[in-house]
Amino acid sequence: MYELEITVTKVMGRCTADPPMQRGDYFTVRDGDIRIPEGGYLCMWALQSLLPLITPKEREIAEAQAEDWMWRVHHAQCPDPKGRVIFKIERVGRVEKGVARQGRSDEGERRSKEVEDTEGRGEGGGGLRDLRVVVKEVRGKCTSGMQPGDCFFLRSGRLYISPDRHFCLYALHAVLPLLPAKQRPLEDGDWLKEDSHVICPDPAGNVIMRVEPVP
């Protein structure tokens, strides 16, 4: 498998994230885990366009270049036609089990966004709730090494992961469709108002996640 670095190379319109994604923003994927550098974040809407490409790009492509379009695809753009934020997907090395890769030396200084203390904020931009998605329980054996307490935060449309932690892409994919609705007021009788738990798709792992507003 390969480690991937996914970087914003162009912003051809006006990114509506607040603050907006900028050229040079990046995150990494290593062995199915997503990591965001300190002071950075990732637009959730953009992530949904990138996810289908990430899993095959991590792996060897067996087909001939003329037979598989994945060989020639290295860029993806966010779904927002007003933003047109372009991401480049690059392989930055092979994954060696048990060996941690050193991040960029300027991770902590590259951008000092207004992230400040994300965990301490209650309401996101536009009146949306800030959310935390936290691993409540692991009922099987998680191949990604997820543990109770692992979490990420969603503020407005921006996803934050502590730079010293990771979150499994497989589990993230399962919970993403619920988050925009959970950020907004829900009517009585809506099943989503009372149901805040999601299980990862891996039947061997059975990682239970809880979606909760940040107090």
Side-chain angles (χ1 to χ4, degrees), residues 10-27:
K10 295 180 182 179
V11 180
M12 301 180 69
R14 180 178 178 271
C15 176
T16 56
D18 183 20
M21 300 293 293
Q22 297 181 16
R23 184 177 177 183
D25 288 347
Y26 77 101
F27 66 96

Side-chain angles (χ1 to χ4, degrees), residues 136-175:
K136 179 182 178 183
E137 184 181 356
V138 180
R139 296 179 178 174
K141 183 178 180 182
C142 175
T143 56
S144 178
M146 299 286 286
Q147 299 177 6
D150 286 342
C151 66
F152 69 85
F153 293 89
L154 183 67
R155 184 171 192 270
S156 187
R158 308 188 302 277
L159 188 150
Y160 297 89
I161 302 173
S162 174
D164 59 341
R165 307 294 286 272
H166 73 272
F167 207 91
C168 173
L169 275 175
Y170 206 12
L172 180 64
H173 214 160
V175 76

